[in-house]
Amino acid sequence: MKLRLHLKQAWTLLRQNPLFSTLYVVGTGLAIAMTMIIAMIYYVKVAPVYPEANRARTLYLSSAEQTDGHNTFNSALSYQALQDWALHLKNAVAISAQLAPWQFRENAYIQPDDRSGDFHPQVKLTDPSFFRIYSFRFLEGTPFTESDLRSGIHTAVITDDLARRLYGTTEGIVGRTFSLSYVRYRVCGVVRGGSYLTSDSYAQVYLPYTVDPAYREGQSSMFPYVGPYMLTFLVRDGEQAKSLKAEVKDVVRRLNLEHKGQWELNLWEQPRTHLLSVFQAYPSQEFDFWTKVRTFGLMLLVLLLVPALNLSGMIASRMESRLAEMGVRKSFGAGRRQLLGQVMWENLWLTLLGGLLGLAVAWLALYAGREWLFFLLDDYADAVPEGANAYVSGEMLFAPAVFLCAFVLCVLLNMLSALLPAWLSLRKPIVYSLYERR
């Protein structure tokens, strides 16, 4: 009943003071929009969204360094490293290797059968375990198999958007072929494509890495374990993740002891969790958790405190004009706590309206600027490649965590802006408040 009464009073004030209410709602909306944009950027980076639903259990080994004391070679792992130890680690549910040769990453073009013009798709060379780690939904067919990988057969998994572009449909595609860099590939499966925003899994064409004639090469003869392969691990839980890191450290220790005086292998603190990989640009980079906390705390303070100060001034001015009303209510027995609760509820309703406006503005901004806004806070941002699909899905925007974050921001902004001026105003004696009627 009280909630209903507060809502009715807030609506009456909204109608009686349209200028104040509009400025308050718009000011709140802009503050929350800016904060929500940052929150949603990082939500999309760390939340379990399709097809990276296992992010909390996914780890990466993407960089390696070997040195002999005079020369240093930096890259990822070599094919020899995969065969000798990397693919035989025990503390993982699945281990996937990805190869990114230049001729496929930058210089691969599809020649459509309808001769509509060559175009460059996003290509990822990987293995069957990749589809165990990432939860792709197969609309048709299956992933390529281990025998496909061993034989180097020209088979491919493609996304639904590429299937529509090539064949005009997503049905009856398995068994059909297409030309990639003038080599024919047979389609073995069609998946619902992800977004470029989920960059660890994103591609439009997935091929066995053995289709690259040079898949065994890439490492230096001086440093046999450094090459072009990146590894992705899926673990059961946090305990297995710790065991995997300890196992990798032990392998590196044994290798360095065995080849002492020849070379030394350095993998730093890898494999890294997905969360760490979002905030740490490179594995060799020093990562300070509290520095990140201070940075985001300061950002949140600026985005919320500055608007709160402006709104607080508006509320203080508004409370001065309501002193007579508060004095009358005090004289009829209303307590300070009751009046403070009324003012806080009234401003909370206005803040929630501003929150809805801010959420809508944030959604609109992220959708319109999805090709650059989601990469705005990256240490090293790259442009979205031409033809890549950087769509924003419903689960990225309409998630319970997003709404909860917006509501908490509304309450926090309401407390920061309304509590102090309302409390100071209600401390004034009844006689002073009633005198305002004159």
Side-chain angles (χ1 to χ4, degrees):
M1 191 67 183
K2 282 187 177 181
L3 197 61
R4 199 170 169 185
L5 179 62
H6 289 320
L7 182 58
K8 187 175 180 181
Q9 289 171 337
W11 177 248
T12 302
L13 287 172
L14 186 68
R15 295 178 62 188
Q16 288 177 349
N17 303 276
L19 179 60
F20 168 82
S21 301
T22 302
L23 290 175
Y24 191 97
V25 170
V26 171
T28 302
L30 290 177
I32 290 178
M34 295 298 295
T35 311
M36 287 304 301
I37 285 173
I38 294 174
M40 284 192 278
I41 286 174
Y42 281 105
Y43 177 81
V44 170
K45 290 178 182 293
V46 303
V49 296
Y50 178 86
E52 298 181 9
N54 296 318
R55 281 174 166 175
R57 300 189 295 124
T58 305
L59 294 91
Y60 309 96
L61 202 167
S62 57
S63 184
E65 177 186 89
Q66 263 189 303
T67 181
D68 62 2
H70 303 286
N71 302 294
T72 301
F73 197 91
N74 284 281
S75 188
L77 292 178
S78 66
Y79 182 77
Q80 184 176 338
L82 301 189
Q83 300 304 306
D84 287 356
W85 56 270
L87 293 180
H88 306 295
L89 297 169
K90 297 178 181 178
N91 289 288
V93 175
I95 306 174
S96 173
Q98 297 97 49
L99 176 63
W102 176 83
Q103 64 268 28
F104 282 94
R105 189 178 68 248
E106 303 290 342
N107 203 34
Y109 286 85
I110 286 180
Q111 294 76 42
D113 292 338
D114 61 4
R115 301 182 182 276
S116 57
D118 295 6
F119 63 91
H120 174 58
Q122 297 300 301
V123 180
K124 192 176 287 289
L125 272 63
T126 184
D127 55 23
S129 294
F130 183 85
F131 298 98
R132 294 179 60 195
I133 296 174
Y134 297 109
S135 54
F136 284 99
R137 180 188 166 201
F138 274 80
L139 305 178
E140 191 176 77
T142 60
F144 42 80
T145 64
E146 287 292 340
S147 60
D148 293 335
L149 180 70
R150 287 192 297 270
S151 64
I153 193 171
H154 291 159
T155 188
V157 173
I158 65 174
T159 57
D160 54 347
D161 58 321
L162 181 61
R164 279 189 288 268
R165 183 168 181 177
L166 290 175
Y167 310 112
T169 181
T170 59
E171 298 178 356
I173 306 301
V174 172
R176 300 181 70 170
T177 63
F178 64 93
S179 174
L180 178 67
S181 297
Y182 300 100
V183 176
R184 301 301 294 187
Y185 288 84
R186 175 186 171 274
V187 177
C188 65
V190 180
V191 296
R192 180 165 74 87
S195 170
Y196 187 77
L197 304 179
T198 54
S199 56
D200 291 312
S201 61
Y202 181 76
Q204 293 162 307
V205 179
Y206 300 90
L207 306 174
Y209 59 71
T210 50
V211 300
D212 179 12
Y215 76 93
R216 294 176 181 271
E217 303 171 8
Q219 73 264 28
S220 165
S221 58
M222 189 183 302
F223 303 124
Y225 286 151
V226 180
Y229 287 89
M230 295 178 290
L231 291 181
T232 306
F233 302 88
L234 180 68
V235 295
R236 283 191 305 273
D237 49 33
E239 286 302 315
Q240 191 177 39
K242 290 179 183 178
S243 300
L244 175 62
K245 289 183 179 182
E247 185 181 7
V248 170
K249 279 190 175 182
D250 186 58
V251 168
V252 171
R253 180 187 62 81
R254 287 189 288 105
L255 287 171
N256 287 338
L257 283 175
E258 185 180 341
H259 297 278
K260 190 173 182 179
Q262 296 176 268
W263 47 256
E264 183 180 3
L265 176 66
N266 190 0
L267 300 181
W268 300 282
E269 294 300 315
Q270 297 180 97
R272 298 183 295 168
T273 62
H274 180 83
L275 185 63
L276 181 59
S277 70
V278 169
F279 296 101
Q280 185 185 36
Y282 294 106
S284 57
Q285 182 186 58
E286 286 289 333
F287 179 75
D288 187 345
F289 173 76
W290 291 111
T291 298
K292 288 292 182 181
V293 170
R294 286 194 296 270
T295 300
F296 285 107
L298 181 62
M299 194 182 301
L300 183 64
L301 190 66
V302 170
L303 289 174
L304 288 183
L305 188 59
V306 173
L309 290 174
N310 292 328
L311 294 174
S312 184
M314 292 174 58
I315 293 170
S317 175
R318 176 65 188 149
M319 288 301 298
E320 286 295 320
S321 67
R322 296 182 64 187
L323 282 177
E325 173 199 339
M326 296 300 169
V328 170
R329 294 197 61 185
K330 281 182 182 180
S331 66
F332 279 93
R336 186 182 299 172
R337 180 177 296 180
Q338 182 182 354
L339 294 175
L340 182 62
Q342 177 194 334
V343 173
M344 295 301 292
W345 272 107
E346 289 170 358
N347 284 284
L348 180 59
W349 289 120
L350 291 176
T351 307
L352 288 175
L353 287 176
L356 291 175
L357 174 65
L359 200 55
V361 170
W363 281 335
L364 183 62
L366 288 171
Y367 180 78
R370 60 191 180 278
E371 293 194 354
W372 62 272
L373 203 52
F374 281 96
F375 308 99
L376 188 64
L377 301 176
D378 291 355
D379 291 331
Y380 303 96
D382 293 324
V384 176
E386 185 179 354
N389 192 353
Y391 73 88
V392 181
S393 66
E395 68 174 329
M396 294 177 180
L397 299 182
F398 300 98
V402 173
F403 287 100
L404 180 62
C405 183
F407 178 75
V408 170
L409 288 174
C410 286
V411 173
L412 185 59
L413 192 59
N414 180 57
M415 295 293 290
L416 288 172
S417 61
L419 184 60
L420 183 60
W423 182 73
L424 291 174
S425 178
L426 292 172
R427 288 186 63 199
K428 295 177 180 177
I430 295 177
V431 174
Y432 178 85
S433 301
L434 290 174
Y435 185 76
E436 291 299 305
R437 271 189 175 277
R438 301 179 57 191

